[in-house]
Amino acid sequence: MDIETFRSRHAPTESGETFQLENSYTLDVAVDGTVMAKAGSMVAYTGDLSFTGKASAEGGLTGFIKEAATGEGTPVMTVEGTGHLYLADSQKKVQVLRLDSGDAITVNGEDVLAFESDISYEISTIDSLAGSLAGGFTNVYLEGPGYVALTTHGDPIVLEPPVATDPSATVAWSDTTPDVEVNRSLSDMVGQESGERFQMRFDRGDGFVVVQPYEELA
């Protein structure tokens, strides 16, 4: 294709939405005030924006929000100003959700890309998993109203309880709570770990569970 066709085909689209997908992998956030975003996810921006995070001892941006009691957290940055912010995370697909007042979702900390400043949030860990899976298992509870963007490796599927999931493939859940079970028959495997050894069982509630075709923490 010629240059003008290339430019027009891939140019940002105009929209009145605060969170908009430019393609499957890139989120366009119309910032007018403050938004929270995963540290390191900015790929471009226009306008007058500033980025704030918590510097680590080794240098760089960590910006842990509401650090969990275990010392783990989710690295995010505060973005302030007016302009358009373009976010992406390792070619993972971006999923945009709008939470109404009272709506809530719990998301694996690795899969939180951005959320509006009006969203209330809390960091937690599942103790029985945090020490068993590489990288731990930190979750972010997000309650509306406002937009939330999460990421998935590939196309997710949304399941209803009762359902059992691999923790490493579990992205998020809403209106349900998991219990963790250990498959003892896989506990004696020598020299390897298996995601099937630990299972998250969602047996209660009327909500949903989001899983991806990828084991994030295995």
Side-chain angles (χ1 to χ4, degrees):
M1 69 183 70
D2 60 41
I3 289 178
E4 287 305 316
T5 301
F6 177 81
R7 289 181 59 183
S8 62
R9 178 173 298 180
H10 298 289
T13 56
E14 297 293 333
S15 170
E17 298 292 343
T18 305
F19 279 29
Q20 175 180 299
L21 292 178
E22 291 298 343
N23 53 51
S24 298
Y25 316 101
T26 308
L27 176 69
D28 177 357
V29 181
V31 182
D32 185 11
T34 303
V35 68
M36 309 297 288
K38 186 173 184 177
S41 63
M42 186 274 289
V43 295
Y45 71 91
T46 62
D48 184 13
L49 299 179
S50 63
F51 302 83
T52 306
K54 179 180 177 182
S56 67
E58 296 78 16
L61 196 63
T62 56
F64 288 113
I65 55 172
K66 293 193 178 180
E67 194 167 341
T70 59
E72 297 177 350
T74 298
V76 302
M77 56 190 174
T78 301
V79 185
E80 298 177 287
T82 303
H84 281 265
L85 173 65
Y86 300 95
L87 303 173
D89 185 11
S90 303
Q91 289 189 318
K92 293 168 69 175
K93 287 196 169 184
V94 181
Q95 317 292 336
V96 176
L97 301 176
R98 182 175 63 83
L99 302 182
D100 292 330
S101 180
D103 287 345
I105 189 169
T106 300
V107 185
N108 184 335
E110 281 294 313
D111 302 320
V112 176
L113 183 63
F115 55 92
E116 291 189 283
S117 59
D118 288 342
I119 294 282
S120 61
Y121 55 89
E122 293 290 341
I123 299 292
S124 64
T125 59
I126 297 178
D127 293 339
S128 54
L129 290 175
S132 304
L133 298 175
F137 199 84
T138 303
N139 303 310
V140 185
Y141 175 83
L142 302 159
E143 184 174 352
Y147 279 99
V148 172
L150 43 134
T151 56
T152 60
H153 288 274
D155 293 322
I157 58 173
V158 179
L159 304 168
E160 296 181 359
V163 63
T165 67
D166 181 337
S168 298
T170 306
V171 175
W173 59 89
S174 179
D175 290 332
T176 183
T177 304
D179 293 315
V180 177
E181 293 185 352
V182 179
N183 187 335
R184 299 296 180 184
S185 65
L186 292 174
S187 62
D188 296 327
M189 297 176 69
V190 178
Q192 57 184 312
E193 187 59 89
S194 171
E196 287 75 22
R197 179 183 175 189
F198 299 92
Q199 297 173 3
M200 299 174 72
R201 294 202 60 89
F202 297 87
D203 292 323
R204 302 179 300 276
D206 299 319
F208 61 88
V209 182
V210 183
V211 296
Q212 63 185 357
Y214 182 91
E215 295 188 354
E216 188 94 48
L217 302 175

